[in-house]
Amino acid sequence: MAKLNFGGVEEEVVTREEFPLEKAREVLKDDVIAVIGYGVQGPGQGLNMKDNGFNVIVGQRKNSKTWDKAVADGWVPGETLFDIEEALEKGTVICYLLSDAAQIALWPTVKKHLTPGKTLYFSHGFGVTYKDQTGIIPPADVDVILVAPKGSGTSLRRLFVEGKGLNSSFAIYQDATGKARERVIAMGIGVGSGYLFQTDFYKEVTSDLTGERGTLMGAIQGIFAAQYEVLRENGHSPSEAFNETVEELTQSLMPLVAENGMDWMYANCSTTAQRGALDWWKPFKEATKPVFEKLYNSVKSGEQAQISITRNSQPDYREKLEVELAELRESEMWKAGATVRSLRPERS
Ligand SMILES: NC(=O)c1ccc[n+]([C@@H]2O[C@H](COP(=O)([O-])OP(=O)(O)OC[C@H]3O[C@@H](n4cnc5c(N)ncnc54)[C@H](O)[C@@H]3O)[C@@H](O)[C@H]2O)c1
Ligand SMILES: CC(C)(O)[C@@H](O)C(=O)O
Ligand SMILES: [Mg+2]
Ligand SMILES: [Mg+2]
């Protein structure tokens, strides 16, 4: 593993150079990798592994939209696409990529097919960390591993196709074969990770649940909405408010942050902007830190997991989510956003 200095802290990471794809293929050459579930991660990881030369099959409910999507993506019924039980039977590595809530309902079926020597693979520490709530307790004679791409399965696939890669964390919960380490790294390389950093199941789930509720998804929408509202309440037009809140960030400034860090983005703005940003980031930090602390505690206590399980286990959870997503989509801010996006020169 390469030792690198992350802001003064030494960490070990696994790069593609030290664990090349050929080695990953060699490690898993006798395996049948069964991707169970074809939502967001299923297609990303499954297609990347297939294109990387691994022996991959998909297990999905027949007569479902996602079965049809799998067929459209090139998986062949009876050859590489099976119903869930058949895929569980054939797979030696079971990639459990159903939604976290659905993993609970299907667990007794999965467990039945986890014969000694098989590998149970997750992309989230959720199921086993919150085992008191999920009932997911793997048998002792299987390897239990995790590769969690740090981003959407959609980006995982897109970046792979572009010859790039998302970073992933990896963890070992149970090493029954003594080979779990090389097998988890081989899976991580196989799904198209740019590099891999080690964690454990607990740290993965607590950081991941915090991140997506926080700056990655929840907090960002909250801050956008607050600023947009203040601008509108003070007489600014929707296009001005949207451009000054979202469009400039995603189109101009975040790419600069991604490329070379925050100070470099600041340095590419006016001295007036820099003065203001340097003065104001601290009050924003102070105002939001208590919310992040509350969030982290709610994750740590298992409350966030329980909410997710309860809400996403209801038979009509999809319809209810769709109503809430539609509320966002139909808000003035995001409707203004749709118009702004349509005006991007590359779209016209
Ligand atoms: N979405 C992401 O990009 C992402 C990123 C990193 C990690 N993860 C993790 O990867 C795993 C899979 O997440 P996802 O977002 O791809 O899942 P998802 O919510 O898209 O659902 C995956 C599949 O579960 C199926 N499903 C739902 N309920 C079912 C049921 N009762 N019986 C059988 N199948 C059912 C759906 O049809 C779908 O094919 C989760 O552990 C998640 O936390 C997801
Ligand atoms: C893509 C995310 C937010 O990183 C993932 O954690 C998820 O749950 O979908
Ligand atoms: Mg997540
Ligand atoms: Mg995540």
Side-chain angles (χ1 to χ4, degrees), residues 30-307:
D30 297 326
D31 281 284
V32 176
I33 301 168
V35 170
I36 307 300
Y38 206 71
V40 183
Q41 280 299 316
Q45 296 191 23
L47 290 169
N48 289 0
M49 284 192 286
K50 185 169 91 158
D51 290 353
N52 270 337
F54 292 76
N55 185 12
V56 188
I57 60 173
V58 170
Q60 182 51 44
R61 283 179 295 189
K62 274 188 179 150
N63 304 318
S64 65
K65 268 194 206 150
T66 34
W67 173 278
D68 297 341
K69 177 174 161 34
V71 172
D73 283 353
W75 303 98
V76 182
E79 281 178 33
T80 54
L81 175 62
F82 302 93
D83 73 24
I84 290 179
E85 277 233 50
E86 217 177 332
L88 285 168
E89 170 75 43
K90 289 182 190 301
T92 57
V93 179
I94 306 298
C95 300
Y96 206 12
L97 297 180
L98 293 185
S99 71
D100 297 301
Q103 288 178 21
I104 299 172
L106 206 79
W107 175 244
T109 311
V110 171
K111 199 173 166 191
K112 207 171 65 190
H113 292 282
L114 286 175
T115 47
K118 282 199 183 186
T119 297
L120 177 61
Y121 166 104
F122 291 93
S123 285
H124 203 8
F126 196 104
V128 295
T129 299
Y130 299 114
K131 58 180 183 303
D132 294 346
Q133 286 143 284
T134 64
I136 296 180
I137 302 170
D141 46 14
V142 299
D143 287 353
V144 182
I145 59 175
L146 166 154
V147 173
K150 293 292 113 185
S152 166
T154 306
S155 322
L156 183 73
R157 179 64 183 161
R158 282 187 190 166
L159 289 169
F160 177 85
V161 170
E162 290 169 23
K164 303 176 188 165
L166 272 187
N167 306 318
S168 304
S169 59
F170 74 95
I172 299 159
Y173 184 75
Q174 218 166 259
D175 185 1
T177 62
K179 293 182 181 155
R181 187 176 173 79
E182 63 171 12
R183 289 172 70 72
V184 71
I185 294 173
M187 286 295 293
I189 297 294
V191 301
S193 308
Y195 77 87
L196 293 150
F197 63 96
Q198 191 156 7
T199 186
D200 58 45
F201 276 57
Y202 173 79
K203 288 223 172 74
E204 194 286 329
V205 70
T206 45
S207 60
D208 190 85
L209 293 179
T210 302
E212 66 204 17
R213 281 154 182 73
T215 58
L216 304 177
M217 295 171 70
I220 194 91
Q221 164 61 18
I223 286 180
F224 284 168
Q227 174 169 307
Y228 183 89
E229 256 176 53
V230 169
L231 288 170
R232 290 288 288 131
E233 282 157 13
N234 283 281
H236 297 269
S237 66
S239 63
E240 186 163 65
F242 188 84
N243 272 301
E244 213 52 71
T245 302
V246 181
E247 188 73 354
E248 177 170 338
L249 183 70
T250 59
Q251 301 305 296
S252 166
L253 302 185
M254 271 300 152
L256 295 178
V257 177
E259 202 179 307
N260 227 354
M262 190 65 87
D263 67 303
W264 195 70
M265 183 271 268
Y266 279 18
N268 282 280
C269 296
S270 66
T271 49
T272 307
Q274 290 181 60
R275 181 69 270 128
L278 289 165
D279 288 343
W280 277 90
W281 77 262
K282 286 177 187 162
F284 278 113
K285 180 187 160 189
E286 273 155 35
T288 57
K289 195 164 173 203
V291 186
F292 285 105
E293 280 164 342
K294 191 174 165 191
L295 163 61
Y296 193 81
N297 288 333
S298 177
V299 168
K300 217 166 112 180
S301 71
E303 183 185 36
Q304 289 302 305
Q306 193 52 54
I307 292 170

Side-chain angles (χ1 to χ4, degrees), residues 270-344:
S270 66
T271 49
T272 307
Q274 290 181 60
R275 181 69 270 128
L278 289 165
D279 288 343
W280 277 90
W281 77 262
K282 286 177 187 162
F284 278 113
K285 180 187 160 189
E286 273 155 35
T288 57
K289 195 164 173 203
V291 186
F292 285 105
E293 280 164 342
K294 191 174 165 191
L295 163 61
Y296 193 81
N297 288 333
S298 177
V299 168
K300 217 166 112 180
S301 71
E303 183 185 36
Q304 289 302 305
Q306 193 52 54
I307 292 170
S308 172
I309 291 168
T310 308
R311 298 287 292 276
N312 293 337
S313 299
Q314 293 169 8
D316 59 348
Y317 79 98
R318 278 266 166 227
E319 291 76 14
K320 285 187 171 148
L321 280 177
E322 186 42 50
V323 169
E324 288 180 83
L325 291 177
E327 260 174 42
L328 274 184
R329 192 164 54 243
E330 297 305 323
S331 66
E332 183 195 281
M333 179 169 78
W334 288 110
K335 273 173 48 188
T339 307
V340 169
R341 290 196 296 276
S342 75
L343 290 168
R344 287 184 198 150

